[in-house]
């Protein structure tokens, strides 16, 4: 999917389900309702996961398959975003053991912005997973010049996607996990753990709130979580953070964006 501010292929600057999130600031679910009417809570929004995912799918089906569409109107940040991700990725190869450079997976890939500018130049082959078929078709066209380096483009939502066991050196999920419920986020990360090759890592790049409250964007059906809450979900998924870095040079009106490199927790 796309994302809220970095939408799909990034899946969102704000947040997307399985689409990339976009960098735009999401609606704060905790604002007071007018006339004292009862507000919908985060739990209410996520309680009906089928509607939650369907609403996001409907939203992204009406988004233009362009970089600006993927980034919620913030296409101008794409270069800065990719450069920050590139520097972060290069630092991961100083870790021991370092990941391989054979295969990567782009989650919530949208039209393939991240695959084109970051992953395909770096890895021998890249697979994409994207919920919107129109975006998948655009990605196949946009990335055709990479030939056999472009692997499979999976037309599927992350809440249902099961990656091949032991296949990927890097699994990149950007601006997309906000489109997943907490439970599906944990399940997805667990499936990704099984899909990592020896020494592999999962990288998430997401918007986070500055406080301790989850923000809900009812427009694209996504949430923006506090960083501390995401780390709780990572713990449930038996993942540990091996490197954390904040993206710099984004417009001040956007959410803080952090990159987290993850590996499975080592059982003693």
């Amino acid at each position: 999917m796309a994302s809220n501010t970095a939408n799909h292929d990034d899946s969102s600057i704000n947040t997307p389900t399985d689409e990339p999130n976009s960098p735009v600031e999401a609606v704060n679910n905790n604002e007071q309702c007018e006339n004292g009417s009862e507000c919908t809570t985060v739990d209410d929004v996520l309680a009906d996961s089928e509607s939650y995912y369907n609403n996001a799918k409907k939203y992204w089906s009406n988004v233009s398959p362009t970089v600006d569409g993927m980034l919620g109107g913030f296409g101008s940040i794409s270069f800065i975003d990719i450069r920050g991700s590139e520097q972060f990725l290069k630092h991961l190869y100083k870790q021991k053991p370092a990941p391989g450079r054979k295969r990567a997976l782009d989650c919530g890939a949208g039209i393939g912005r991240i695959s084109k500018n970051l992953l395909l130049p770096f890895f021998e082959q890249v697979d994409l997973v994207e919920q919107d078929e129109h975006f998948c078709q655009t990605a196949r066209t946009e990335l055709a010049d990479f030939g056999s380096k472009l692997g499979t483009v999976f037309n599927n939502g992350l809440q249902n996607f099961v990656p091949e066991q032991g296949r990927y050196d890097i699994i990149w999920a950007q601006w997309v996990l906000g489109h997943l419920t907490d439970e599906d986020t944990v399940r997805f990360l667990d499936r990704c753990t099984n899909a990592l090759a020896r020494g592999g890592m999962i990288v998430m790049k997401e918007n986070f709130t500055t406080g301790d409250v989850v923000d809900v964007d009812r427009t694209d059906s996504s949430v923006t979580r506090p960083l501390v809450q995401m780390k709780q979900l990572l713990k449930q998924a038996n993942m540990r953070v091996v490197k954390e870095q904040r993206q710099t040079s984004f417009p001040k009106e956007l959410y803080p964006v952090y990159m987290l490199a993850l590996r499975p927790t080592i059982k003693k």
Side-chain angles (χ1 to χ4, degrees):
M1 293 183 173
S3 79
N4 261 352
T5 269
N7 199 91
H8 262 103
D9 36 305
D10 297 71
S11 276
S12 178
I13 281 185
N14 263 8
T15 61
T17 278
D18 208 42
E19 303 201 27
N21 277 326
S22 101
V24 188
E25 210 163 317
V27 176
N28 188 331
N29 184 66
N30 303 292
E31 294 175 351
Q32 290 186 340
C33 297
E34 295 180 3
N35 302 322
S37 60
E38 185 176 354
C39 291
T40 303
T41 66
V42 174
D43 289 340
D44 291 335
V45 172
L46 300 180
D48 184 353
S49 60
E50 184 176 358
S51 294
Y52 183 68
Y53 292 131
N54 285 339
N55 290 341
K57 187 174 183 178
K58 181 178 179 181
Y59 171 83
W60 288 109
S61 69
N62 293 307
V63 170
S64 173
T66 62
V67 171
D68 210 42
M70 296 298 93
L71 296 180
F74 283 81
S76 60
I77 71 166
S78 183
F79 178 81
I80 297 171
D81 168 59
I82 293 296
R83 292 292 78 78
S85 296
E86 184 178 54
Q87 292 171 8
F88 186 76
L89 184 59
K90 287 180 178 179
H91 276 108
L92 299 186
Y93 283 82
K94 297 178 181 179
Q95 299 278 336
K96 294 183 179 180
R101 295 183 61 164
K102 191 171 183 180
R103 293 193 186 94
L105 175 66
D106 184 358
C107 300
I111 62 171
R113 180 185 70 91
I114 290 173
S115 288
K116 181 178 182 178
N117 298 295
L118 176 69
L119 301 178
L120 280 163
F122 206 88
F123 294 92
E124 293 179 20
Q125 191 173 63
V126 177
D127 293 341
L128 288 71
V129 54
E130 166 55 46
Q131 179 169 269
D132 187 275
E133 174 57 24
H134 191 196
F135 292 165
C136 288
Q137 293 173 1
T138 301
R140 293 184 185 103
T141 300
E142 289 288 322
L143 305 178
D145 288 346
F146 285 94
S148 61
K149 293 192 69 174
L150 174 62
T152 303
V153 179
F154 298 98
N155 181 206
N156 206 343
L158 295 188
Q159 67 272 19
N160 300 314
F161 181 66
V162 181
E164 181 181 334
Q165 186 170 354
R167 179 174 175 82
Y168 299 107
D169 298 300
I170 292 290
I171 296 177
W172 193 278
Q174 179 165 343
W175 284 322
V176 67
L177 297 181
H179 279 301
L180 297 179
T181 65
D182 289 353
E183 293 79 6
D184 281 337
T185 298
V186 172
R187 294 187 188 109
F188 171 69
L189 291 171
D190 185 61
R191 295 194 297 272
C192 286
T193 296
N194 295 329
L196 290 175
R198 183 177 180 84
M201 295 184 187
I202 300 168
V203 178
M204 67 166 61
K205 186 170 185 177
E206 293 287 340
N207 297 331
F208 293 100
T209 65
T210 54
D212 58 359
V213 176
V214 177
D215 284 351
V216 176
D217 189 335
R218 297 179 187 82
T219 301
D220 70 358
S221 194
S222 67
V223 296
T224 302
R225 301 176 173 98
L227 182 56
V228 65
Q229 181 183 356
M230 177 58 77
K231 289 184 176 180
Q232 291 171 351
L233 297 181
L234 296 178
K235 185 175 182 180
Q236 292 178 39
N238 294 313
M239 302 298 297
R240 61 190 176 94
V241 178
V242 296
K243 185 172 179 60
E244 173 181 328
Q245 183 175 315
R246 181 171 177 174
Q247 171 71 50
T248 61
S249 302
F250 273 3
K252 293 181 180 180
E253 65 268 25
L254 302 184
Y255 280 118
V257 174
Y258 284 85
M259 295 170 278
L260 304 177
L262 315 171
R263 273 186 165 148
T265 302
I266 299 175
K267 296 183 179 180
K268 297 182 180 180

